[in-house]
Amino acid sequence: MSVSERSALIIVDVQNDFLPGGTLAVPHGDTIIQPINALLAQPWDTVIATKDWHPPQHCSFKEQSGDWPAHCIAGTEGAAFPPNLHTGTIHHIVHKGLDPHCDSYSAFFDNNRLHTTGLENLLKGLKITHLHICGLALDVCVNATIRDALECGFHVTLYTDAVQGLQKDPTPLLNNLTKQGVTLHASTMPFMRE
């Protein structure tokens, strides 16, 4: 892969609670680790990973009448990166979902647009123009991150073998992203995921 523009790899929420055995596991979420590690070996201008980093009483949790089981509580093992993710080349970590009263799917802004994570300013300060996105979950936080990336004026490539979603069939969502101008890269490695 050649990286012609100033490009950033964005790894969205690859955390233990979203992997098999976690409290909010994405089905087959662990199958994206090897493709992401292959991406991490590429010569990016910067590599940024996001983390859900929730307080214990976060509004998104079912115990607080939210939509999700408790997950990625700040400082817990569930919020950590999995040990087989090659984190040594990650330059920045963006924490999101810190406000107990507001959920935050996107790596850029919370769902109510009350808070920014600082990611847009970081990327523009680094003169990044193209975002290469992977991670979990495709139909929630990855999709929200792509939406905001496009609104902020970035070009976006999505690696389809380095994402997994909660929905079984990602085709409608991927078709919609293509219509919005997202480039879909079908393979990061010389094998096809089953």
Side-chain angles (χ1 to χ4, degrees):
M1 178 186 67
S2 63
V3 181
S4 57
E5 301 180 83
R6 282 193 61 81
S7 300
L9 177 65
I10 308 293
I11 304 167
V12 178
D13 296 0
V14 179
Q15 296 167 265
N16 288 325
D17 271 346
F18 296 131
L19 296 170
T23 61
L24 185 49
V26 176
H28 311 293
D30 55 334
T31 63
I32 72 171
I33 301 295
Q34 191 174 0
I36 291 175
N37 284 338
L39 286 169
L40 282 164
Q42 299 293 333
W44 309 103
D45 292 297
T46 193
V47 177
I48 299 169
T50 72
K51 279 187 172 184
D52 263 9
W53 201 250
H54 296 314
Q57 307 300 320
H58 195 255
C59 66
S60 71
F61 297 166
K62 287 183 177 178
E63 296 86 343
Q64 311 299 323
S65 301
D67 295 328
W68 311 107
H71 62 278
C72 297
I73 295 172
T76 65
E77 186 63 23
F81 295 127
N84 57 340
L85 181 69
H86 296 170
T87 58
T89 56
I90 294 173
H91 302 125
H92 306 278
I93 298 174
V94 171
H95 295 92
K96 59 192 185 70
L98 285 70
D99 185 338
H101 306 295
C102 184
D103 207 357
S104 185
Y105 293 165
S106 168
F108 289 89
F109 310 101
D110 67 82
N111 294 2
N112 295 335
R113 290 296 204 270
L114 296 174
H115 308 290
T116 174
T117 64
L119 178 58
E120 180 183 9
N121 287 338
L122 172 63
L123 292 167
K124 291 184 174 176
L126 294 170
K127 297 182 171 32
I128 299 296
T129 57
H130 195 145
L131 305 186
H132 297 255
I133 296 177
C134 57
L136 301 168
L138 171 61
D139 38 5
V140 187
C141 294
V142 172
N143 186 42
T145 295
I146 290 171
R147 176 201 65 212
D148 287 345
L150 293 170
E151 287 183 6
C152 291
F154 296 103
H155 298 125
V156 175
T157 295
L158 176 69
Y159 289 87
T160 56
D161 63 344
V163 290
Q164 280 285 5
L166 295 170
Q167 297 177 353
K168 288 185 177 180
D169 182 8
T171 305
L173 175 56
L174 294 175
N175 288 340
N176 186 49
L177 291 174
T178 300
K179 290 176 184 176
Q180 295 177 57
V182 175
T183 299
L184 302 182
H185 192 79
S187 178
T188 60
M189 304 183 73
F191 65 82
M192 294 299 293
R193 190 181 63 199
E194 295 181 2

Short mmCIF file of all heavy atoms in Angstrom, two decimals, residues 146-181:
data_model
loop_
_atom_site.label_atom_id
_atom_site.label_comp_id
_atom_site.label_asym_id
_atom_site.label_seq_id
_atom_site.Cartn_x
_atom_site.Cartn_y
_atom_site.Cartn_z
N ILE A 146 -16.91 7.85 10.95
CA ILE A 146 -16.83 8.15 9.52
C ILE A 146 -17.71 9.35 9.17
O ILE A 146 -17.29 10.25 8.43
CB ILE A 146 -17.22 6.92 8.68
CG1 ILE A 146 -16.15 5.84 8.81
CG2 ILE A 146 -17.43 7.30 7.22
CD1 ILE A 146 -16.53 4.52 8.20
N ARG A 147 -18.92 9.38 9.69
CA ARG A 147 -19.84 10.50 9.42
C ARG A 147 -19.19 11.82 9.81
O ARG A 147 -19.18 12.78 9.02
CB ARG A 147 -21.13 10.30 10.22
CG ARG A 147 -22.13 11.44 10.12
CD ARG A 147 -23.10 11.41 11.29
NE ARG A 147 -22.40 11.65 12.55
CZ ARG A 147 -22.76 11.12 13.72
NH1 ARG A 147 -23.77 10.28 13.79
NH2 ARG A 147 -22.08 11.42 14.82
N ASP A 148 -18.62 11.87 11.00
CA ASP A 148 -18.01 13.13 11.45
C ASP A 148 -16.73 13.44 10.70
O ASP A 148 -16.42 14.61 10.45
CB ASP A 148 -17.76 13.07 12.96
CG ASP A 148 -19.04 13.17 13.77
OD1 ASP A 148 -20.07 13.57 13.19
OD2 ASP A 148 -19.02 12.85 14.97
N ALA A 149 -15.97 12.42 10.33
CA ALA A 149 -14.75 12.64 9.56
C ALA A 149 -15.09 13.32 8.23
O ALA A 149 -14.41 14.26 7.80
CB ALA A 149 -14.03 11.33 9.33
N LEU A 150 -16.13 12.83 7.57
CA LEU A 150 -16.55 13.44 6.30
C LEU A 150 -17.01 14.87 6.52
O LEU A 150 -16.67 15.77 5.73
CB LEU A 150 -17.66 12.60 5.67
CG LEU A 150 -17.26 11.19 5.20
CD1 LEU A 150 -18.51 10.40 4.81
CD2 LEU A 150 -16.28 11.25 4.03
N GLU A 151 -17.78 15.10 7.58
CA GLU A 151 -18.25 16.45 7.87
C GLU A 151 -17.10 17.41 8.16
O GLU A 151 -17.18 18.61 7.87
CB GLU A 151 -19.23 16.44 9.05
CG GLU A 151 -20.58 15.85 8.72
CD GLU A 151 -21.56 15.90 9.89
OE1 GLU A 151 -21.20 16.51 10.93
OE2 GLU A 151 -22.66 15.35 9.76
N CYS A 152 -16.03 16.88 8.72
CA CYS A 152 -14.85 17.70 9.03
C CYS A 152 -13.94 17.89 7.81
O CYS A 152 -12.92 18.57 7.92
CB CYS A 152 -14.06 17.07 10.18
SG CYS A 152 -14.87 17.13 11.79
N GLY A 153 -14.28 17.27 6.69
CA GLY A 153 -13.56 17.50 5.45
C GLY A 153 -12.44 16.53 5.14
O GLY A 153 -11.65 16.78 4.22
N PHE A 154 -12.38 15.41 5.84
CA PHE A 154 -11.33 14.42 5.57
C PHE A 154 -11.78 13.45 4.48
O PHE A 154 -12.96 13.13 4.36
CB PHE A 154 -11.00 13.63 6.84
CG PHE A 154 -10.42 14.47 7.95
CD1 PHE A 154 -11.21 14.86 9.02
CD2 PHE A 154 -9.10 14.86 7.92
CE1 PHE A 154 -10.68 15.64 10.05
CE2 PHE A 154 -8.55 15.64 8.94
CZ PHE A 154 -9.35 16.03 10.00
N HIS A 155 -10.82 12.96 3.72
CA HIS A 155 -11.07 11.80 2.87
C HIS A 155 -11.01 10.56 3.76
O HIS A 155 -10.22 10.51 4.70
CB HIS A 155 -10.00 11.70 1.77
CG HIS A 155 -9.99 12.86 0.84
ND1 HIS A 155 -8.85 13.61 0.60
CD2 HIS A 155 -10.96 13.42 0.10
CE1 HIS A 155 -9.14 14.58 -0.25
NE2 HIS A 155 -10.41 14.49 -0.57
N VAL A 156 -11.84 9.57 3.44
CA VAL A 156 -11.95 8.39 4.31
C VAL A 156 -11.83 7.10 3.50
O VAL A 156 -12.51 6.94 2.48
CB VAL A 156 -13.28 8.39 5.09
CG1 VAL A 156 -13.43 7.10 5.90
CG2 VAL A 156 -13.36 9.60 6.02
N THR A 157 -10.98 6.21 3.98
CA THR A 157 -10.93 4.84 3.49
C THR A 157 -11.29 3.93 4.65
O THR A 157 -10.77 4.09 5.76
CB THR A 157 -9.53 4.47 2.97
OG1 THR A 157 -9.24 5.27 1.81
CG2 THR A 157 -9.45 2.99 2.59
N LEU A 158 -12.19 2.99 4.40
CA LEU A 158 -12.59 2.00 5.40
C LEU A 158 -12.07 0.63 4.99
O LEU A 158 -12.25 0.21 3.84
CB LEU A 158 -14.12 1.96 5.52
CG LEU A 158 -14.69 0.88 6.47
CD1 LEU A 158 -14.35 1.23 7.92
CD2 LEU A 158 -16.19 0.74 6.29
N TYR A 159 -11.43 -0.06 5.92
CA TYR A 159 -10.89 -1.39 5.65
C TYR A 159 -11.92 -2.44 6.08
O TYR A 159 -12.13 -2.68 7.26
CB TYR A 159 -9.55 -1.57 6.36
CG TYR A 159 -8.51 -0.73 5.70
CD1 TYR A 159 -8.32 0.59 6.08
CD2 TYR A 159 -7.77 -1.21 4.62
CE1 TYR A 159 -7.40 1.40 5.43
CE2 TYR A 159 -6.85 -0.42 3.97
CZ TYR A 159 -6.66 0.89 4.37
OH TYR A 159 -5.77 1.69 3.72
N THR A 160 -12.54 -3.07 5.09
CA THR A 160 -13.71 -3.91 5.36
C THR A 160 -13.35 -5.22 6.04
O THR A 160 -14.22 -5.86 6.62
CB THR A 160 -14.50 -4.19 4.07
OG1 THR A 160 -13.62 -4.78 3.09
CG2 THR A 160 -15.07 -2.89 3.51
N ASP A 161 -12.10 -5.65 5.97
CA ASP A 161 -11.72 -6.86 6.70
C ASP A 161 -11.14 -6.53 8.06
O ASP A 161 -10.72 -7.41 8.79
CB ASP A 161 -10.74 -7.71 5.89
CG ASP A 161 -9.43 -7.01 5.60
OD1 ASP A 161 -9.37 -5.77 5.76
OD2 ASP A 161 -8.45 -7.68 5.22
N ALA A 162 -11.12 -5.24 8.41
CA ALA A 162 -10.60 -4.81 9.70
C ALA A 162 -11.68 -4.10 10.51
O ALA A 162 -11.39 -3.28 11.38
CB ALA A 162 -9.39 -3.90 9.50
N VAL A 163 -12.94 -4.43 10.20
CA VAL A 163 -14.09 -3.95 10.98
C VAL A 163 -15.06 -5.11 11.17
O VAL A 163 -15.11 -6.04 10.36
CB VAL A 163 -14.84 -2.77 10.31
CG1 VAL A 163 -14.02 -1.50 10.33
CG2 VAL A 163 -15.27 -3.12 8.89
N GLN A 164 -15.82 -5.05 12.23
CA GLN A 164 -16.95 -5.95 12.44
C GLN A 164 -18.07 -5.14 13.06
O GLN A 164 -17.83 -4.17 13.79
CB GLN A 164 -16.59 -7.10 13.38
CG GLN A 164 -15.82 -8.23 12.73
CD GLN A 164 -16.69 -9.12 11.83
OE1 GLN A 164 -17.86 -8.85 11.62
NE2 GLN A 164 -16.10 -10.18 11.33
N GLY A 165 -19.30 -5.54 12.74
CA GLY A 165 -20.45 -4.83 13.27
C GLY A 165 -21.36 -5.74 14.08
O GLY A 165 -21.18 -6.96 14.13
N LEU A 166 -22.36 -5.14 14.70
CA LEU A 166 -23.36 -5.89 15.45
C LEU A 166 -24.38 -6.52 14.52
O LEU A 166 -24.92 -7.58 14.81
CB LEU A 166 -24.05 -4.98 16.46
CG LEU A 166 -23.15 -4.44 17.58
CD1 LEU A 166 -23.89 -3.36 18.38
CD2 LEU A 166 -22.69 -5.56 18.49
N GLN A 167 -24.66 -5.88 13.38
CA GLN A 167 -25.60 -6.43 12.42
C GLN A 167 -24.93 -7.50 11.57
O GLN A 167 -23.75 -7.38 11.23
CB GLN A 167 -26.16 -5.31 11.52
CG GLN A 167 -26.95 -4.27 12.27
CD GLN A 167 -27.41 -3.13 11.38
OE1 GLN A 167 -27.03 -3.06 10.20
NE2 GLN A 167 -28.23 -2.25 11.92
N LYS A 168 -25.68 -8.52 11.21
CA LYS A 168 -25.10 -9.64 10.47
C LYS A 168 -24.71 -9.25 9.05
O LYS A 168 -23.69 -9.71 8.53
CB LYS A 168 -26.07 -10.82 10.44
CG LYS A 168 -26.21 -11.53 11.78
CD LYS A 168 -27.09 -12.75 11.67
CE LYS A 168 -27.17 -13.50 13.00
NZ LYS A 168 -28.03 -14.69 12.91
N ASP A 169 -25.52 -8.43 8.41
CA ASP A 169 -25.25 -8.07 7.01
C ASP A 169 -24.85 -6.60 6.92
O ASP A 169 -25.69 -5.72 7.06
CB ASP A 169 -26.48 -8.33 6.15
CG ASP A 169 -26.22 -8.03 4.68
OD1 ASP A 169 -25.06 -7.78 4.31
OD2 ASP A 169 -27.20 -8.03 3.90
N PRO A 170 -23.56 -6.32 6.68
CA PRO A 170 -23.12 -4.93 6.61
C PRO A 170 -23.35 -4.29 5.25
O PRO A 170 -23.07 -3.10 5.08
CB PRO A 170 -21.62 -5.05 6.89
CG PRO A 170 -21.26 -6.37 6.29
CD PRO A 170 -22.46 -7.27 6.52
N THR A 171 -23.88 -5.04 4.27
CA THR A 171 -23.94 -4.55 2.89
C THR A 171 -24.69 -3.22 2.75
O THR A 171 -24.19 -2.29 2.10
CB THR A 171 -24.56 -5.61 1.97
OG1 THR A 171 -23.82 -6.82 2.11
CG2 THR A 171 -24.54 -5.15 0.52
N PRO A 172 -25.90 -3.06 3.33
CA PRO A 172 -26.59 -1.77 3.18
C PRO A 172 -25.78 -0.60 3.72
O PRO A 172 -25.71 0.46 3.09
CB PRO A 172 -27.90 -1.98 3.95
CG PRO A 172 -28.12 -3.46 3.95
CD PRO A 172 -26.75 -4.05 4.04
N LEU A 173 -25.16 -0.79 4.88
CA LEU A 173 -24.36 0.28 5.46
C LEU A 173 -23.15 0.59 4.59
O LEU A 173 -22.84 1.76 4.32
CB LEU A 173 -23.90 -0.10 6.87
CG LEU A 173 -22.94 0.88 7.56
CD1 LEU A 173 -23.52 2.28 7.63
CD2 LEU A 173 -22.60 0.37 8.95
N LEU A 174 -22.46 -0.43 4.10
CA LEU A 174 -21.30 -0.21 3.25
C LEU A 174 -21.69 0.48 1.95
O LEU A 174 -20.97 1.38 1.47
CB LEU A 174 -20.60 -1.54 2.96
CG LEU A 174 -19.95 -2.22 4.17
CD1 LEU A 174 -19.40 -3.59 3.77
CD2 LEU A 174 -18.86 -1.36 4.80
N ASN A 175 -22.83 0.10 1.38
CA ASN A 175 -23.31 0.77 0.17
C ASN A 175 -23.59 2.24 0.43
O ASN A 175 -23.26 3.11 -0.40
CB ASN A 175 -24.57 0.08 -0.37
CG ASN A 175 -24.28 -1.28 -0.98
OD1 ASN A 175 -23.15 -1.57 -1.34
ND2 ASN A 175 -25.31 -2.10 -1.10
N ASN A 176 -24.16 2.54 1.58
CA ASN A 176 -24.46 3.91 1.93
C ASN A 176 -23.17 4.72 2.12
O ASN A 176 -23.08 5.88 1.68
CB ASN A 176 -25.30 3.95 3.20
CG ASN A 176 -25.76 5.35 3.55
OD1 ASN A 176 -26.28 6.08 2.70
ND2 ASN A 176 -25.55 5.77 4.79
N LEU A 177 -22.18 4.11 2.75
CA LEU A 177 -20.90 4.80 2.94
C LEU A 177 -20.24 5.10 1.60
O LEU A 177 -19.67 6.18 1.40
CB LEU A 177 -19.97 3.96 3.82
CG LEU A 177 -20.39 3.84 5.29
CD1 LEU A 177 -19.48 2.86 6.03
CD2 LEU A 177 -20.37 5.19 5.99
N THR A 178 -20.33 4.15 0.67
CA THR A 178 -19.77 4.38 -0.66
C THR A 178 -20.44 5.57 -1.33
O THR A 178 -19.77 6.41 -1.96
CB THR A 178 -19.93 3.11 -1.52
OG1 THR A 178 -19.25 2.03 -0.90
CG2 THR A 178 -19.35 3.33 -2.91
N LYS A 179 -21.75 5.67 -1.19
CA LYS A 179 -22.48 6.79 -1.78
C LYS A 179 -22.05 8.13 -1.18
O LYS A 179 -22.13 9.17 -1.82
CB LYS A 179 -23.99 6.60 -1.57
CG LYS A 179 -24.59 5.48 -2.40
CD LYS A 179 -26.05 5.27 -2.09
CE LYS A 179 -26.64 4.09 -2.85
NZ LYS A 179 -28.05 3.83 -2.47
N GLN A 180 -21.58 8.08 0.08
CA GLN A 180 -21.12 9.31 0.74
C GLN A 180 -19.67 9.66 0.39
O GLN A 180 -19.15 10.66 0.85
CB GLN A 180 -21.24 9.15 2.25
CG GLN A 180 -22.66 9.02 2.76
CD GLN A 180 -22.70 8.79 4.25
OE1 GLN A 180 -22.19 9.59 5.03
NE2 GLN A 180 -23.28 7.68 4.67
N GLY A 181 -19.03 8.81 -0.42
CA GLY A 181 -17.68 9.11 -0.86
C GLY A 181 -16.59 8.35 -0.14
O GLY A 181 -15.40 8.62 -0.35
#
